[in-house]
Amino acid sequence: MEHIHHHHDCSCDCEHEHEHENSTESKFTQAFKKYNLDVDDEKVKNQVATLLAHHLQENNTKEVKKFLLNSVELTTLKTTDSEESVLKFIEKVNEFDTKYPELGHVATVCVYPNFAKVCHDSLENENIEIACVSGSFPSSQTFTEVKIAETAMAIHDGATEIDIVMPVGKFLSEDYEGVADEISELKSVCGEHKLKVILETGCLKTAANIKKASILAMYSGADYIKTSTGKLEPAATPEAAFVMCQAIKEYYEQTGIQIGLKPAGGMKTVEDALTYYTIVKEVLGEKWLNNTMLRLGTSSLANKLLSEIVGEEIKFF
């Protein structure tokens, strides 16, 4: 099952509509058959608990916290955001380089599409990515054409990465074709820019759904899969991330394509960040322990990581 921009090509006049439906159905059914979708929620819970009991503490080091700080996607997604507030936000990121040169920098700033230009014009460190949430974030409920326009405009204004929400309603209605088409269309708008697909795992309810959604998103062109928007409860959970890591691992084994992970939403403490790090390390291994493959979507965590690294309470960001 390759990572493709897949387009359902139907040049006939579709009298055989039902026939197409069946062949489509079988395409996704065949694809899913290559993966282990028999994931049990209770079992996942126990696996995660065991994994964390054995490995969390060994990762509780200054080095790991510094790595996590460098993996943060520093986020501002408020209704009250304005050019002024986003400019202040970027000035903080610029100032960080001067104040803590030895600590590297966050991976990304993440903003609404209408602020891509402010970020692009004012961000001094060109190694920091500019991610924009697009596609009618956080509900993903609008016309595909609008999502395409929003994504293209964000990239035109300077976004280097795009975060979209998978059309969750379509997924839950089992319209896998519709989900795949929309994601692959948006990936083709992104071109070489990275596309992160948010699964909104809290709405998917079961580990089996999370596994299936992960596979579908990767198959359709996602460069990263991301847990949640942070706008709905429950947001990211260690269990959801664990299942997503298993999907990433199986996809890598099938295709040789390495997909990134972005836990986001509800990440409040340093221990939360260490939890996700530990899961990635144990399920996916060293190859994913870099700030290209692992990103943390958060606005509150940077200060806490910084405080623990420096050894005193710091409210910088």
Side-chain angles (χ1 to χ4, degrees), residues 1-213:
M1 184 153 95
E2 331 75 277
H3 193 62
I4 47 171
H5 306 325
H6 114 131
H7 287 288
H8 184 40
D9 188 21
C10 179
S11 46
C12 70
D13 54 7
C14 265
E15 280 164 36
H16 339 281
E17 184 131 359
H18 52 273
E19 201 174 296
H20 279 298
E21 282 305 307
N22 291 340
S23 66
T24 297
E25 173 61 27
S26 70
K27 179 177 61 187
F28 288 106
T29 308
Q30 282 162 6
F32 289 141
K33 270 187 189 139
K34 297 183 183 174
Y35 294 83
N36 172 25
L37 293 177
D38 182 24
V39 276
D40 172 70
D41 293 82
E42 203 48 45
K43 196 175 163 196
V44 165
K45 213 174 166 154
N46 293 334
Q47 285 174 297
V48 171
T50 305
L51 186 155
L52 293 172
H54 286 131
H55 298 287
L56 181 66
Q57 276 318 313
E58 72 200 40
N59 296 318
N60 190 358
T61 67
K62 196 177 268 196
E63 288 70 43
V64 171
K65 288 169 195 173
K66 189 178 161 191
F67 165 75
L68 290 168
L69 181 64
N70 298 156
S71 302
V72 162
E73 299 211 354
L74 203 60
T75 304
T76 181
L77 296 170
K78 299 196 205 69
T79 304
T80 52
D81 286 345
S82 64
E83 297 223 342
E84 290 74 23
S85 73
V86 173
L87 193 57
K88 278 206 180 88
F89 168 78
I90 297 297
E91 277 165 2
K92 275 288 177 200
V93 176
N94 291 340
E95 197 189 313
F96 187 79
D97 282 355
T98 322
K99 192 157 184 192
Y100 300 101
E102 71 292 353
L103 293 186
H105 54 79
V106 295
T108 321
V109 291
C110 183
V111 296
Y112 281 117
N114 43 314
F115 298 118
K117 193 170 187 321
V118 182
C119 294
H120 178 263
D121 292 348
S122 57
L123 190 63
E124 284 163 14
N125 189 330
E126 58 200 29
N127 297 315
I128 298 176
E129 304 287 352
I130 299 167
C132 285
V133 294
S134 182
S136 203
F137 176 94
S139 69
S140 195
Q141 298 287 18
T142 190
F143 306 99
T144 304
E145 294 81 351
V146 173
K147 296 182 181 186
I148 287 167
E150 186 178 18
T151 302
M153 289 167 81
I155 288 170
H156 175 266
D157 272 0
T160 62
E161 299 182 344
I162 294 291
D163 292 29
I164 61 162
V165 180
M166 177 185 75
V168 179
K170 280 186 176 146
F171 175 83
L172 293 172
S173 312
E174 296 183 20
D175 176 11
Y176 303 132
E177 173 78 4
V179 174
D181 277 348
E182 187 170 280
I183 293 171
S184 61
E185 274 195 72
L186 290 169
K187 175 57 193 170
S188 60
V189 176
C190 291
E192 79 281 9
H193 296 290
K194 295 282 195 281
L195 177 69
K196 305 191 202 94
V197 177
I198 304 166
L199 307 182
E200 201 64 284
T201 50
C203 296
L204 299 180
K205 306 288 191 244
T206 66
N209 270 346
I210 293 170
K211 186 81 177 270
K212 210 175 216 181

Side-chain angles (χ1 to χ4, degrees), residues 181-294:
D181 277 348
E182 187 170 280
I183 293 171
S184 61
E185 274 195 72
L186 290 169
K187 175 57 193 170
S188 60
V189 176
C190 291
E192 79 281 9
H193 296 290
K194 295 282 195 281
L195 177 69
K196 305 191 202 94
V197 177
I198 304 166
L199 307 182
E200 201 64 284
T201 50
C203 296
L204 299 180
K205 306 288 191 244
T206 66
N209 270 346
I210 293 170
K211 186 81 177 270
K212 210 175 216 181
S214 299
I215 292 157
L216 194 55
M218 292 187 287
Y219 176 45
S220 309
D223 298 294
Y224 290 80
I225 49 177
K226 174 174 165 182
T227 52
S228 12
T229 59
K231 302 293 183 192
L232 292 179
E233 291 298 325
T237 64
E239 289 75 18
F242 179 81
V243 173
M244 288 164 72
C245 284
Q246 287 183 317
I248 289 171
K249 184 179 187 165
E250 287 176 40
Y251 187 77
Y252 181 66
E253 285 162 1
Q254 292 276 354
T255 65
I257 297 166
Q258 197 182 352
I259 303 294
L261 177 77
K262 181 178 172 184
M267 215 178 304
K268 298 278 186 274
T269 65
V270 171
E271 189 169 329
D272 291 339
L274 291 171
T275 295
Y276 292 111
Y277 175 88
T278 304
I279 290 167
V280 169
K281 185 178 175 182
E282 294 307 315
V283 179
L284 291 168
E286 293 291 329
K287 205 167 174 180
W288 271 263
L289 296 180
N290 59 70
N291 73 353
T292 310
M293 282 295 137
L294 174 61

